[in-house]
Amino acid sequence: MKTIRLKAEMKNTKTKGELNQLRKKGFVPGNLYGNNINIQIQADERDLRKIIYTPDTYLVQVEADGKTHSTIIKEVQFHKVKDTPI
């Protein structure tokens, strides 16, 4: 399985309006969970495109908050009209 790095930031938004503003700025919110962790992150949409829009499966090394977490993308939700990840 191929490995790819993804730089992300910790997400500190709490309301739906804040999430919508985050998406307008070009970031995609996400959850990183498993192995007794649950982290809310945000990543740049341009960085996610090379991971999402490919037939390959990647082992993603997510760098967030000074730590690196190994993960696989399980689910991606897309906007109904724009077909962008939300």
Side-chain angles (χ1 to χ4, degrees):
M1 185 177 297
K2 299 177 184 179
T3 303
I4 193 165
R5 291 193 171 275
L6 176 67
K7 291 186 180 182
E9 301 172 2
M10 301 302 281
K11 180 178 73 168
N12 53 8
T13 56
K14 293 180 174 59
T15 65
K16 187 175 180 180
E18 291 175 343
L19 286 174
N20 289 334
Q21 291 297 321
L22 184 73
R23 289 183 185 109
K24 285 181 183 178
K25 292 178 183 176
F27 291 97
V28 178
N31 293 321
L32 180 65
Y33 61 89
N35 202 17
N36 297 326
I37 62 169
N38 187 7
I39 302 171
Q40 296 180 348
I41 61 170
Q42 63 189 27
D44 192 346
E45 182 181 349
R46 294 173 289 180
D47 295 337
L48 285 172
R49 286 181 188 220
K50 57 187 170 187
I51 301 170
I52 295 172
Y53 298 111
T54 181
D56 299 328
T57 302
Y58 290 105
L59 177 64
V60 183
Q61 298 287 331
V62 178
E63 298 174 11
D65 198 30
K67 298 178 184 176
T68 303
H69 304 280
S70 296
T71 186
I72 296 174
I73 295 181
K74 183 176 179 181
E75 178 184 356
V76 179
Q77 297 176 357
F78 293 95
H79 190 274
K80 294 178 183 178
V81 177
K82 298 178 187 175
D83 199 34
T84 58
I86 56 171

